[in-house]
Amino acid sequence: MAGESSSFHLLDERIQRFIWQQGWEDLREAQELAVPLILPADQDVIIAAATAAGKTEAAFLPALTNLLHGSGEGLIVYISPLKALINDQFGRLDRLCEALDIKVWPWHGDITSGVKARFLKKPEGVLLITPESLEAMLCNRGTSIAAVFKEARFFVVDELHAFIGSERGKQLQSLMHRIDRAAGRRIPRIGLSATLGDMSLAGKFLRPGGAPALVESTSSGVEIKILVKGYEEPTAIKQVDGQEPDPVSPAQIAAHLFKVLRGSNNLVFPNSRREVERYTHILNELCEREQVPNEFWPHHGSLSKEIRSETEAALKQKERPATAICTNTLELGIDIGAVKSVGQIGPPPSVASLRQRLGRSGRREGEPAILRGYAVEDARSGLTSLKDRLRLDTLQMVAMISLLLEGWFEPPQVAGTHFSTLIQQLLSVIAQNGGASAKELFTLLCAPGSPFAGITSGEFLELLRHLGTKELILQESSGVLLHGPLGEKFVNHYTFYAAFASDEEFRIVAGGRTLGTLPVSQMLTAGQRILFAGKTWRVEEVDDAQKTIFVTRASGGVPPLFSGGPGRTHTRVRQRLRELLRGQEVPAFLDVTARKFLREARDEYERLDLDNKVTLDQGNEVMLLTWLGDAANEALACLFMRRGFTAMAAGPGVEVHKKAGGVQEVLDALGDFAVEDVPDLDFLLADAKNLAREKWDWALPDGLLRKAYASQYLDLAEAADWVKAVGQAQAGL
DNA sequence: GACCTGCTGCGGGATG
């Protein structure tokens, strides 16, 4: 290696020795490129590379060299979205750092206070921490923050894409910014990720207004093998007792999974926790019936840590093959080893998500990535919805796969005004500094280059005044802002540190063992039978005070409902879907039934003349077919609602309830929108209710809530463009 | 039909 690698020689001798001892043949491409960029610690860097292996080292080999060559003490702050990832990384880094005599400090909710106290006594080495724990540190140890981070050389943010666009991402930006300010200098930021489409957007996220150096590993193109199988669900006939019969396609899909997945490690994504339960149970029963050892394990966010660890351990060990039926809990970089194939039941939530999932397969040299898609459609019988007639689930899956193959996926949503997280950060800064003036707060959080830049001083003052009326803050006669009585209560409870909201939950306990949790909104009663953790149970007792549901093993049971909202579809996906409907080409990866679905959808598209028609009369409603993404369709629905219509975004378009004037009245409204100016948000959303989505939205003045909502959920500009284009086309007829 | 993530400080009692 020594002869070919120039970066290798830049590393500290002790690190070079460690690399030899590991028997690593040479530095990976990303490592080779990253070392000279990171070593001087004078700029931000983003490392985008296909596999998890190698990225951590690409950041840490030069960062640790910098630490070793520096003047004694120094600190690297690694920030992870998952505790599990911190535990994995601790195992890997501690081995390396032991040889270098550098301490590694894991810090999250499960780490004992003793470890944290020892770190704080001498804050040197590598700190592995979550955003929430960092928030707690700033809140509770405000006076010592400058000292703790005085010698911080780098922030390393793992799984950068998992933060972009969310409340947590905005919080993370704010935390790094506040630490920069406390330390009195710009601490270089290193972002690690596999899925970053537009690198300039990711760069803007890593540091607002920044432009980091980029390391993109041109990974050798892994071969992708794809098969999409169609399944026809017979029309349900109500049984004598009025109950819906069980659907038959899950049993058929499970039978196929059983046949093709046994003997190897795989991941299957059925898109919801409920379906994870359903499929795990069917597959477990199949193994039992065939008298073979069980190879199918459940994994989702409502299962207890113990049960999830069992599944992760089953995937990691090499003795027996194992397949996880899972949600996106297994999408991020937890170490589960390579898998042979990925199953996707129903359309994935996004192309980015599909890409991340498929990235778990084909990670060994010379092995392809294998994707099996399962598409279910209702059998045809008379009056079915447009979604059924156009086979939209199947077509959406095919559209997403075709975009994936082209290398496209949804860009990260860096924009968006996160007033909710601004409230959290205001309260946190007040805690950190024991009070602050309005001007100090605005300069720290909202000035150009700050995480909340773009918020005007007028909006900021409006927010502060409103927080005063909510008793979250109060102003001393000197002008200094402090916590109000309610603010004090919130900040002093540990739930304050997370920027995102969460449901209240019941624990499900069987014989003293916690199986997992269910949201309280999904009330269960004694005697009910449920399917949970892949097994069936009878509810014995519901303890409201202890928020616990006691269950015992029993036969029979249906999977419970969990809470959750739908994913959001991007305009590009809808447009690709329409291209598929218009086209003739039949992708080679479709099986006979999936081909049939595609043919039926194309026939229907032609029969309804959807290439030329914008409206479809559906009786009580008019369907406006925009073929735009959800954000534009929702904005269009808002325009109609403001005109007194009942309207909602529905798949590829907007469903508008007819009024007395029928279809023509809807078209007239559309014609008016085309020539009117785009309305402002206060007008458009004047009557809108229930806009609160994020944790602190309840404390926002109406105008700011409307702005926050619109910035994240509505694309008014795209809706207006569509309306204008359609209006012109109609005028030309 | 529809995801996921995370969490302090302190006091009391047991243990080495």
Side-chain angles (χ1 to χ4, degrees):
Chain A
M1 143 159 55
E4 294 162 33
S5 166
S6 51
S7 288
F8 180 78
H9 294 289
L10 297 173
L11 297 173
D12 184 86
E13 269 175 44
R14 286 158 283 184
I15 294 180
Q16 293 182 7
R17 210 172 305 135
F18 180 84
I19 291 174
W20 276 324
Q21 283 162 1
Q22 297 305 302
W24 295 350
E25 298 271 311
D26 51 334
L27 293 183
R28 303 266 183 84
E29 186 189 10
Q31 297 164 350
E32 193 70 42
L33 296 169
V35 168
L37 295 174
I38 292 174
L39 199 55
D42 58 359
Q43 63 181 335
D44 299 332
V45 180
I46 286 183
I47 304 174
T51 57
K55 277 202 297 280
T56 314
E57 286 77 10
F60 274 97
L61 298 180
L64 288 167
T65 297
N66 178 291
L67 218 59
L68 290 165
H69 293 180
S71 55
E73 64 267 23
L75 178 66
I76 299 169
V77 182
Y78 164 96
I79 304 172
S80 154
L82 300 176
K83 289 189 287 190
L85 210 51
I86 287 180
N87 298 340
D88 279 353
Q89 299 290 28
F90 176 72
R92 290 168 66 182
L93 283 170
D94 202 42
R95 252 176 352 112
L96 165 62
C97 289
E98 215 178 347
L100 308 175
D101 207 20
I102 290 175
K103 288 264 192 319
V104 183
W105 307 93
W107 182 316
H108 56 65
D110 302 340
I111 302 294
T112 59
S113 55
V115 175
K116 299 174 182 175
R118 267 182 285 140
F119 166 76
L120 289 171
K121 239 172 122 181
K122 213 165 176 239
E124 295 171 24
V126 181
L127 176 65
L128 311 176
I129 194 166
T130 62
E132 288 73 19
S133 285
L134 212 44
E135 187 77 69
M137 205 192 276
L138 288 174
C139 256
N140 300 325
R141 302 169 201 278
T143 50
S144 53
I145 289 307
V148 170
F149 295 99
K150 197 176 84 194
E151 297 299 332
R153 305 278 174 82
F154 301 96
F155 286 114
V156 179
V157 182
D158 206 352
E159 305 280 5
L160 189 68
H161 64 275
F163 287 110
I164 303 180
S166 69
E167 293 151 281
R168 253 185 137 190
K170 191 45 76 176
Q171 176 188 31
L172 171 65
Q173 284 181 331
S174 183
L175 292 168
M176 292 192 291
H177 181 71
R178 286 163 63 191
I179 292 171
D180 269 10
R181 287 302 155 88
R185 68 205 158 80
R186 244 169 103 121
I187 300 166
R189 301 176 187 177
I190 304 169
L192 311 181
S193 183
T195 305
L196 286 171
D198 185 330
M199 295 294 270
S200 72
L201 287 176
K204 284 199 184 80
F205 174 80
L206 188 63
R207 187 187 298 272
L214 302 177
V215 173
E216 272 184 281
S217 171
T218 52
S219 67
S220 57
V222 179
E223 186 199 353
I224 304 178
K225 287 189 173 171
I226 299 172
L227 171 67
V228 172
K229 283 176 74 68
Y231 288 82
E232 200 155 47
E233 180 66 39
T235 311
I237 298 164
K238 283 233 165 88
Q239 291 173 324
V240 194
D241 57 9
Q243 296 258 312
E244 296 278 341
D246 281 342
V248 301
S249 50
Q252 296 170 344
I253 292 172
H256 187 256
L257 293 171
F258 180 82
K259 196 176 77 187
V260 295
L261 300 188
R262 269 184 6 100
S264 58
N265 282 17
N266 309 276
L267 297 177
V268 176
F269 294 91
N271 287 351
S272 73
R273 290 170 281 191
R274 185 186 170 86
E275 297 303 309
V276 166
E277 291 295 345
R278 191 196 303 281
Y279 279 96
T280 308
H281 184 63
I282 300 174
L283 286 160
N284 289 172
E285 280 192 328
L286 275 174
C287 291
E288 204 171 309
R289 200 184 314 151
E290 302 288 323
Q291 298 187 309
V292 295
N294 179 45
E295 291 183 19
F296 301 93
W297 305 75
H299 199 285
H300 62 69
S302 292
L303 291 171
S304 67
K305 206 167 106 186
E306 289 69 34
I307 291 176
R308 282 197 258 178
S309 302
E310 276 174 23
T311 299
E312 290 159 27
L315 287 166
K316 259 191 251 185
Q317 55 80 36
K318 307 245 163 20
E319 308 284 297
R320 289 176 179 285
T323 289
I325 318 297
C326 58
T327 60
N328 52 4
T329 42
L330 288 184
E331 233 174 64
L332 288 185
I334 306 172
D335 179 20
I336 51 164
V339 300
K340 185 170 176 198
S341 79
V342 169
Q344 172 64 51
I345 304 174
S350 65
V351 182
S353 174
L354 179 63
R355 188 184 135 103
Q356 192 76 17
R357 291 171 181 188
L358 192 57
R360 287 287 193 166
S361 155
R363 289 167 66 153
R364 289 207 194 90
E365 195 75 22
E367 277 183 15
I370 299 173
L371 172 67
R372 287 190 183 83
Y374 296 86
V376 180
E377 299 287 350
D378 277 341
R380 307 195 140 214
S381 58
L383 282 174
T384 51
S385 66
L386 186 68
K387 174 180 171 293
D388 289 333
R389 285 188 285 164
L390 291 179
R391 306 307 201 189
L392 287 185
D393 275 357
T394 303
L395 273 282
Q396 178 139 335
M397 167 137 44
V398 175
M400 286 178 148
I401 291 172
S402 98
L403 289 166
L404 174 88
L405 291 173
E406 280 174 17
W408 181 89
F409 49 93
E410 295 83 358
Q413 293 295 311
V414 180
T417 314
H418 292 260
F419 285 114
S420 164
T421 308
L422 175 57
I423 294 178
Q424 184 211 30
Q425 292 302 301
L426 286 172
L427 293 171
S428 179
V429 172
I430 290 173
Q432 181 185 345
N433 299 341
S437 74
K439 186 152 182 265
E440 284 166 352
L441 289 170
F442 185 77
T443 307
L444 175 65
L445 297 171
C446 305
S450 305
F452 299 94
I455 290 172
T456 65
S457 56
E459 289 170 336
F460 191 74
L461 289 175
E462 183 190 353
L463 177 61
L464 290 184
R465 275 194 294 274
H466 199 73
L467 296 182
T469 67
K470 296 282 182 191
E471 300 201 329
L472 287 171
I473 59 173
L474 55 80
Q475 189 162 32
E476 272 193 329
S477 52
S478 65
V480 169
L481 297 168
L482 301 173
H483 293 143
L486 202 55
E488 188 80 36
K489 248 174 72 180
F490 277 114
V491 177
N492 287 330
H493 195 264
Y494 65 92
T495 51
F496 174 75
Y497 309 124
F500 54 90
S502 50
D503 278 355
E504 210 184 346
E505 290 177 321
F506 276 110
R507 270 192 321 143
I508 301 185
V509 175
R513 183 184 187 216
T514 299
L515 301 176
T517 59
L518 263 187
V520 290
S521 54
Q522 302 302 328
M523 236 343 255
L524 293 180
T525 49
Q528 249 183 302
R529 281 156 196 268
I530 59 160
L531 183 46
F532 198 88
K535 299 184 174 73
T536 52
W537 313 87
R538 182 179 185 278
V539 176
E540 297 298 336
E541 192 196 334
V542 178
D543 185 335
D544 277 310
Q546 299 288 315
K547 292 272 174 288
T548 304
I549 296 168
F550 296 95
V551 298
T552 53
R553 282 308 299 275
S555 62
V558 292
L561 269 171
F562 298 85
S563 61
R568 294 173 67 83
T569 301
H570 191 275
T571 291
R572 183 86 187 258
V573 173
R574 291 260 156 73
Q575 289 178 344
R576 174 55 51 89
L577 201 160
R578 193 181 194 190
E579 286 162 22
L580 282 167
L581 285 166
R582 280 174 169 160
Q584 299 294 320
E585 211 180 310
V586 179
F589 54 77
L590 302 183
D591 84 334
V592 175
T593 309
R595 267 164 212 251
K596 186 176 98 136
F597 290 157
L598 177 61
R599 197 171 56 242
E600 288 168 348
R602 283 173 170 169
D603 288 349
E604 197 67 9
Y605 182 83
E606 200 180 332
R607 195 180 69 75
L608 294 169
D609 193 24
L610 295 184
D611 224 14
N612 301 306
K613 276 163 67 175
V614 172
T615 59
L616 201 62
D617 195 340
Q618 295 185 329
N620 294 330
E621 302 100 38
V622 181
M623 180 72 167
L624 280 176
L625 282 159
T626 64
W627 304 98
L628 297 176
D630 293 332
N633 285 343
E634 267 160 47
L636 188 55
C638 287
L639 285 170
F640 274 97
M641 287 193 278
R642 199 67 192 94
R643 273 287 272 253
F645 287 93
T646 304
M648 63 186 291
V654 180
E655 241 172 35
V656 186
H657 282 252
K658 287 185 204 162
K659 296 201 290 188
V663 178
Q664 192 54 47
E665 194 178 2
V666 174
L667 288 173
D668 289 345
L670 203 54
D672 290 346
F673 298 152
V675 293
E676 287 165 6
D677 288 336
V678 178
D680 70 65
L681 290 177
D682 284 327
F683 175 79
L684 185 67
L685 296 174
D687 301 325
K689 300 268 184 288
N690 302 322
L691 297 183
R693 295 288 182 283
E694 302 192 340
K695 190 172 182 179
W696 295 91
D697 278 352
W698 62 271
L700 286 176
D702 285 345
L704 299 188
L705 176 58
R706 286 196 278 266
K707 187 174 174 185
Y709 176 84
S711 76
Q712 288 176 74
Y713 296 97
L714 302 181
D715 192 332
L716 201 49
E718 195 176 53
D721 285 348
W722 182 82
V723 163
K724 289 212 165 59
V726 168
Q728 277 163 13
Q730 303 235 319
L733 288 174

